[in-house]
Amino acid sequence: MKQEQLEQLLLKMSVKEKVGQLTQFAGAFYMKHDDGTPVTGRIEFPVEDDMLDVSGSVLGIAGFEKVKAIQENHLHRSRLGIPLLFMADVINGFQTIFPIPLGLGATWEPSLIEKLQAVASKEASSAGLHVSFAPMADLVRDPRWGRVMESTGEDPYLNERFAAATVSGLQGRSETISNDHIGACVKHFAAYGLSEGGRDYNTVDLSERELREMHMPAYKAALQAGAKLVMTAFNTVNGMPASGNAPLLRGMLRDELDFEGVVISDFDAVEELVAHGVAENESVAAQKALQAGVDIDMMSLSYARSLSSLVEQNLIDASLLDEAVLRVLELKNELGLFEDPYRGMSVTNEQAVLNAAEHRKLACEVAEKSMVLLKNQNVLPLERNRSIALVGPYADNPDLLGEWSIFGNMEETKTLKDRLPDARYAQGSALYHREETLLLEALDVMAQADVIVLALGEGRDRSGEARSRASITLAPCQIELLKKAHETGKPVVVTLFNARPIDLTDVEPYADAILECWHPGSEGAQAVVNVLFGKTNPSGKLTMSFPRATGQIPVYYNAYKTGRPLPEGSEERFYSRYIDIPNEPLYPFGFGLSYAAFTYSNRRISQSELNPSSTLIVSVDVTNTSLVAGEEVVQLYIQDVVGEVVRPVKELKGFEKISLLPNETKTVSFEIDSEMLRYHHSDLSYASDPGLFHVWMDGSSVCEDEGKLTFTFHTS
Ligand code: NOJ
């Protein structure tokens, strides 16, 4: 449809029909009874029945048959024939499930993320979806928060790269969104990752400078990549819940970032303005949200129940309603729904696309690349001829898909035990509680093997939304099992299946090797086996620090400098330190081992001076000194030595993943220009300052200090 036709359509719409476009209801409201009769609008639907007939979008339902039936039924009832939009959370895959986003981050391969999101998009669109609520671009620093699993970690630059890659993968890179792609909705705008104490839905309060410096880059990158929608956050930003926050939504998002797409609230967030205490009732909540710039109300029903009368009473400017509706119509039009409300969907295509062999193959590859080898004392890779005891609550557990795998199929997911049929198996313990008989059985099995592979972790029931934890250790029963394994004197390999950084202080001393496997997806078990036996050499690197204790949280690599930095090795008191644990996390950002060994040498800089119009090149030679081929992520960090405001101790500014054969050396170079040195000053201006900078290139954020390079930036 042409823009004029959309505007004509808008003119024909009643207020109620307009309000309908701004409401999103759960798929269950549109379902049919078992006998096939439609229950549209008649099952515990807490709004006037006919509201469903004019509604604009549907949440969380997919599958050719269901979507087709709902859309058909809707078009039949809709006076103006406006098709429904189907939206859902396709976060790390639709039916073929990839690792959770925190694991995807550990690949340090944005192009791979784009590829798998294109697969997710193809599967989702074949099943009738039009929009995914991804990427979640929230920067995270607190592993108590269950939703860190949905983020790619603690670094603004990496998050930027992954957010953009996700959008490109979901939407495709062409001008229009083709039928095998879907729209991307970046969330949660803004700064949801900072919920105080890691408690979900909790307050966020941060300076505008910090918001712009650390949190905005990833949302912005998603918008620059063309994301069609933005979802508001549950939390407050500068004292106002995001879903009623005009400076944030109309000021920053629309005026400053020029976002022209659709803003949707998070689930019930409009109504929650009442609980937040910034609206007296649901009607005021609806009024404030629309005025603040929320176009679609996801599931709170506040718009459905209040907007019409607010317009009638002139409490809302009708033009606000019109502009929001037009944006929704434009999105439908961009997705081609007016021409074909089914977007070429067919049952044969759905069957051919879902879980296609090449998708599963990619899922395995990505899972292998997401795994992070945290420790290895000459035990991995496993030798084929050694007998293995496969023990632990994750050893025969198909809970590998992660919390957002709503369309995945856990029943059909192979477990480690399935993939290691020759190993001796014992469960050893339930996930969270001790069972004496299981433990005794495991002792027996472990006694008979040469090497013990423990599969430990925490399930999807302890991660994701509304799953904050005050303590992030493994359950005591699992630690007990680990200690028993260690007591056998046999090599112990711990494979970890979890969706947040765990405090591994009680694990590390008892394990000879630790492989962080995350919730690795549909082909996760096969991927673990491939890595354990060295078919694939692990190359993942953490994108979120693993703390030594819950009390150390938040701990992240790009912290601001303090006035009393602790000198290395100092035992003295009056420094910024803990008296009971080191300041450093147990495993830092950027860290991850390989079966190969890499040495960094000959770090060099093309010149020691930089000015606004020049660039300089830093280079390093990386050599594989081992007998196996491997991949290494070479990371570039810069420190601004003196800033107008306090600057981080270091910041990631570039990275490159390279493959190296045994004895091979490659030179990795990075270009540095003045734009990379910009930051937000106290007056919020974004600029670089003259002065001295330090540069590191290494395989982790904990860098060899002797490798430090320096240069001076001159502004004139
Ligand atoms: C609530 C979550 O916060 C959000 O991330 C998700 O997209 C919506 N529910 C829809 O499922």
Side-chain angles (χ1 to χ4, degrees):
M1 245 188 222
K2 295 207 176 75
Q3 186 67 17
E4 305 87 79
Q5 289 172 290
L6 291 180
E7 283 161 17
Q8 288 297 320
L9 178 61
L10 183 67
L11 288 176
K12 290 187 204 144
M13 293 170 77
S14 68
V15 170
K16 187 163 189 162
E17 283 165 336
K18 290 178 185 172
V19 172
Q21 291 303 311
L22 307 186
T23 58
Q24 177 160 108
F25 301 130
F29 291 150
Y30 300 80
M31 297 297 287
K32 293 182 175 187
H33 289 301
D34 285 347
D35 65 4
T37 53
V39 292
T40 309
R42 276 98 195 145
I43 40 158
E44 294 166 33
F45 187 57
V47 196
E48 291 166 46
D49 274 1
D50 57 349
M51 209 54 224
L52 261 192
D53 298 344
V54 296
S55 63
S57 61
V58 186
L59 166 70
I61 208 149
F64 171 81
E65 281 190 9
K66 286 180 195 160
V67 169
K68 179 118 192 301
I70 292 173
Q71 186 76 287
E72 255 170 18
N73 186 32
H74 180 79
L75 289 172
H76 181 67
R77 287 158 177 266
S78 161
R79 183 178 72 96
L80 295 167
I82 304 175
L84 285 165
L85 264 177
F86 289 80
M87 309 195 193
D89 295 273
V90 180
I91 308 296
N92 45 305
F94 180 77
Q95 204 163 90
T96 304
I97 304 293
F98 299 91
I100 55 165
L102 197 57
L104 296 181
T107 65
W108 291 62
E109 266 191 68
S111 58
L112 187 68
I113 280 29
E114 179 169 345
K115 202 165 152 189
L116 73 89
Q117 291 295 359
V119 164
S121 192
K122 191 170 178 183
E123 290 198 358
S125 57
S126 81
L129 285 177
H130 306 141
V131 169
S132 169
F133 298 125
M136 175 174 118
D138 305 326
L139 179 138
V140 292
R141 290 174 172 169
D142 194 329
R144 289 171 296 183
W145 194 44
R147 302 198 73 169
V148 298
M149 59 162 283
E150 296 171 55
S151 167
T152 46
E154 69 193 34
D155 182 69
Y157 173 65
L158 254 190
N159 287 350
E160 218 174 84
R161 298 283 304 272
F162 285 122
T166 302
V167 173
S168 303
L170 289 172
Q171 295 191 169
R173 282 182 186 251
S174 48
E175 278 282 292
T176 51
I177 303 180
S178 69
N179 279 356
D180 54 6
H181 285 93
I182 59 177
C185 175
V186 57
K187 65 190 188 185
H188 304 85
F189 198 74
Y192 183 29
L194 274 198
S195 295
E196 266 181 18
R199 210 180 74 211
D200 215 350
Y201 317 120
N202 203 5
T203 302
V204 169
D205 196 14
L206 78 171
S207 70
E208 184 172 343
R209 209 195 65 77
E210 177 74 356
L211 174 67
R212 289 173 182 272
E213 185 71 12
M214 294 287 173
H215 300 269
M216 291 307 292
Y219 305 118
K220 226 161 134 174
L223 299 182
Q224 275 159 4
K228 296 288 174 196
L229 300 94
V230 169
M231 186 189 293
T232 63
F234 287 122
N235 52 276
T236 50
V237 176
N238 200 15
M240 177 59 86
S243 304
N245 195 323
L248 183 70
L249 302 180
R250 293 209 182 265
M252 212 179 249
L253 182 62
R254 294 254 184 245
D255 296 346
E256 210 180 297
L257 300 177
D258 287 330
F259 178 63
E260 290 177 352
V262 170
V263 174
I264 182 167
S265 79
D266 202 343
F267 195 107
D268 205 32
V270 173
E271 165 81 33
E272 287 171 18
L273 296 180
V274 177
H276 269 291
V278 296
E280 292 78 356
N281 54 44
E282 179 180 76
S283 170
V284 179
Q287 181 188 21
K288 286 206 166 178
L290 190 73
Q291 281 168 344
V294 174
D295 299 321
I296 300 181
D297 168 4
M298 184 199 291
M299 273 304 284
S300 91
L301 312 180
S302 308
Y303 278 14
R305 289 194 286 238
S306 310
L307 276 191
S308 296
S309 55
L310 284 166
V311 173
E312 273 155 32
Q313 294 166 54
N314 278 329
L315 289 169
I316 272 195
D317 191 339
S319 68
L320 282 187
L321 191 70
D322 284 356
E323 81 183 30
V325 174
L326 192 59
R327 278 194 282 265
V328 176
L329 297 179
E330 281 166 355
L331 176 61
K332 292 184 175 184
N333 196 34
E334 282 179 84
L335 287 159
L337 287 168
F338 288 106
E339 279 73 35
D340 175 6
Y342 306 100
R343 297 185 87 223
M345 219 184 11
S346 76
V347 74
T348 41
N349 183 52
E350 185 188 41
Q351 277 165 2
V353 167
L354 295 187
N355 256 324
E358 70 265 25
H359 299 177
R360 302 289 289 217
K361 197 164 157 252
L362 183 65
C364 190
E365 182 197 335
V366 178
E368 289 165 5
K369 289 187 167 190
S370 75
M371 287 173 197
V372 186
L373 185 62
L374 297 175
K375 180 175 182 181
N376 188 18
Q377 283 179 333
N378 301 322
V379 49
L380 290 178
L382 295 174
E383 289 160 23
R384 287 268 167 206
N385 54 5
R386 301 182 88 188
S387 69
I388 296 172
L390 174 65
V391 176
Y394 251 102
D396 193 23
N397 190 341
D399 181 13
L400 301 174
L401 305 184
E403 172 60 5
W404 266 129
S405 53
I406 35 183
F407 305 103
N409 192 341
M410 197 155 96
E411 289 72 49
E412 283 174 18
T413 305
K414 297 283 185 242
T415 68
L416 266 187
K417 178 170 171 269
D418 297 331
R419 297 299 191 197
L420 277 175
D422 296 337
R424 294 188 167 84
Y425 162 76
Q427 188 184 336
S429 161
L431 258 181
Y432 313 122
H433 63 267
R434 188 178 194 281
E435 284 184 37
E436 185 72 14
T437 47
L438 292 182
L439 186 59
L440 294 175
E441 215 173 270
L443 292 180
D444 196 38
V445 164
M446 294 193 291
Q448 295 171 45
D450 298 331
V451 53
I452 301 166
V453 173
L454 284 184
L456 309 177
E458 65 176 23
R460 68 192 279 180
D461 60 339
R462 292 214 172 166
S463 49
E465 189 179 345
R467 302 251 173 70
S468 298
R469 296 191 64 201
S471 164
I472 54 162
T473 49
L474 285 182
C477 56
Q478 297 193 35
I479 302 293
E480 184 185 1
L481 182 64
L482 168 64
K483 287 183 178 166
K484 294 280 186 222
H486 178 70
E487 279 165 18
T488 64
K490 301 179 180 187
V492 177
V493 175
V494 171
T495 55
L496 279 174
F497 298 84
N498 51 287
R500 56 155 61 78
I502 297 245
D503 167 8
L504 296 173
T505 313
D506 285 344
V507 172
E508 202 276 341
Y510 305 104
D512 298 284
I514 304 176
L515 182 67
E516 175 55 72
C517 307
W518 315 109
H519 289 167
S522 305
E523 293 294 334
Q526 186 60 52
V528 176
V529 172
N530 292 349
V531 171
L532 288 180
F533 285 99
K535 188 170 171 221
T536 303
N537 191 347
S539 59
K541 304 265 189 183
L542 298 179
T543 61
M544 193 176 179
S545 307
F546 273 45
R548 283 174 196 275
T550 309
Q552 200 187 29
I553 298 168
V555 58
Y556 47 95
Y557 89 95
N558 47 357
Y560 290 116
K561 292 176 205 160
T562 70
R564 296 207 181 176
L566 180 66
E568 212 181 309
S570 169
E571 294 289 321
E572 287 188 32
R573 185 173 154 206
F574 291 100
Y575 287 109
S576 177
R577 65 175 305 173
Y578 295 103
I579 56 170
D580 48 356
I581 55 167
N583 282 0
E584 295 73 34
L586 191 59
Y587 299 112
F589 175 88
F591 173 76
L593 301 170
S594 161
Y595 299 151
F598 304 107
T599 57
Y600 285 64
S601 63
N602 195 18
R603 290 178 176 87
R604 52 210 186 267
I605 188 161
S606 61
Q607 73 243 29
S608 55
E609 316 272 312
L610 179 72
N611 62 53
S613 54
S614 69
T615 56
L616 59 79
I617 310 283
V618 289
S619 310
V620 62
D621 297 340
V622 187
T623 306
N624 180 351
T625 54
S626 75
L627 297 174
V628 289
E631 288 187 315
E632 169 72 336
V633 181
V634 183
Q635 301 158 41
L636 169 75
Y637 294 94
I638 299 186
Q639 181 194 53
D640 186 348
V641 177
V642 178
E644 187 255 341
V645 292
V646 175
R647 306 297 336 279
V649 289
K650 59 169 75 90
E651 296 170 284
L652 181 77
K653 292 291 180 180
F655 59 91
E656 193 178 328
K657 197 172 190 177
I658 51 169
S659 322
L660 288 173
L661 295 169
N663 289 321
E664 193 185 5
T665 298
K666 274 186 184 159
T667 300
V668 175
S669 298
F670 297 99
E671 199 175 271
I672 298 177
D673 62 23
S674 63
E675 295 212 340
M676 289 160 72
L677 310 178
R678 288 176 300 176
Y679 66 96
H680 291 90
H681 290 61
S682 52
D683 64 359
L684 301 181
S685 61
Y686 190 55
S688 42
D689 294 340
L692 186 67
F693 292 82
H694 292 157
V695 180
W696 294 267
M697 284 168 287
D698 223 316
S700 165
S701 64
V702 176
C703 305
E704 281 179 48
D705 225 40
E706 61 268 27
K708 189 163 78 184
L709 303 170
T710 52
F711 70 89
T712 309
F713 173 58
H714 300 276
T715 41
S716 56

